Amino acid sequence: MRVRGMNYDVGAEMLAGRMSRPDFDEATVRGELAAIAGELHCDAVRISGQDHDRLRTATRIAHELGLTVYLSPLRGDLRQAQALDHVARGAELAEQLRAGGDTVLVIGLEATLFQHGFLPGETTADRIRVASRPVRMILGMLRTGDPHQRLNAYLGTAVALARERFGGLVTYASGSWERVDWTPFDIVGVNLYRDRKNHARYRDTLRAYAAHGKPLVITEFGCCTYRGAADRGGMGWAAVNRDTSPPRLADGIVRDERAQATELRELLDMYREEPVTGAFVFTWANYSYPWDEVAQRNLDTAGYGVVAVDRDGRWRPKEAYTMLASANV
């Protein structure tokens, strides 16, 4: 595994009304990225967000620190014409930033969920509910046709637009349920969380992605910070009840930092044994899941961050951070 990476969020509204990182300060970003490069021994960072000024600032700092940047301009709930315009503008930004250091362009994130036109549902939350229930998925396909065929038509157009504006490598952060045609891409990119359902076949899944004959990069893998979170994989974040004020953890959620660290270490060990070119831990911090001294209000427990961030923006390392920082990992 040549690329050891970390996901780093500069802020995006991917779920309606919920900005993933409300505050952004250059000095804070510099300190965080320095820790990623220095203490966590990463050589790459996937920088995601919707504001181009924030993306530019974080990428410039990352390049100064010697990090390769997988640039991921994100914006939720776009329709196809809007999404293609977003890809084009993101490619132009990536080309400008490529002069400062190694830059890979990630042209989208799980488009079947975060964009209109592939799965039924007016909002991202609606589409997540469809995708998480096989019966609803099948009924949706019967009404609207094969979403994967529409997805690949869209991605083909998006890649062509990006290549007109960007001269570097191009990939896409796919969902593991998406049947992507990787022909136009330079790198196979997949958000591949392990959970109870795919645990037994996870290694075989890696090999199937590698069989496309292109470098395989796991654009996201991770685990939340509570007992049993590894069984829930990419849906671990749903352990928060946001119908209460303030939001609280669901009943029965018990914080367990070691569970998170163990899952990350097991997956990193597996990636080194398999034909995986690189992997990006999800994530440095979940800024919208702040730390709280009161256990039921400690949303960080349902977050994927390797550091916990309090409501004032101060962060502290978790056991996963300590594990990643150790010399033998």
Side-chain angles (χ1 to χ4, degrees), residues 52-118:
H52 280 202
D53 288 338
R54 290 187 179 190
L55 289 169
R56 184 179 291 106
T57 297
T59 298
R60 175 177 54 78
I61 294 170
H63 282 158
E64 290 173 1
L65 293 167
L67 293 163
T68 294
V69 173
Y70 277 58
L71 186 68
S72 299
L74 299 179
R75 190 174 291 274
D77 263 341
L78 298 181
R79 301 189 185 276
Q80 182 162 317
Q82 296 171 311
L84 290 172
D85 178 68
H86 185 67
V87 168
R89 292 188 296 107
E92 291 168 356
L93 174 64
E95 181 63 19
Q96 296 167 14
L97 294 171
R98 192 163 70 98
D102 291 340
T103 306
V104 175
L105 176 61
V106 186
I107 64 165
L109 164 68
E110 299 177 359
T112 52
L113 297 185
F114 292 106
Q115 291 177 209
H116 289 272
F118 306 109

Side-chain angles (χ1 to χ4, degrees), residues 114-133:
F114 292 106
Q115 291 177 209
H116 289 272
F118 306 109
L119 292 178
E122 189 57 29
T123 68
T124 295
D126 293 336
R127 295 188 289 273
I128 289 174
R129 282 190 285 270
V130 169
S132 63
R133 293 172 173 80

Side-chain angles (χ1 to χ4, degrees), residues 311-325:
R311 297 181 192 280
D312 294 326
R314 294 186 295 262
W315 60 270
R316 68 160 188 84
K318 291 150 68 168
E319 284 195 31
Y321 183 105
T322 303
M323 180 274 295
L324 291 171

Side-chain angles (χ1 to χ4, degrees), residues 240 242 247-249 288-290 292 296-303:
V240 172
R242 294 190 179 273
R248 302 167 67 87
L249 295 175
S288 59
Y289 285 68
D292 196 294
Q296 285 190 304
R297 294 205 301 264
N298 188 5
L299 303 192
D300 176 77
T301 296

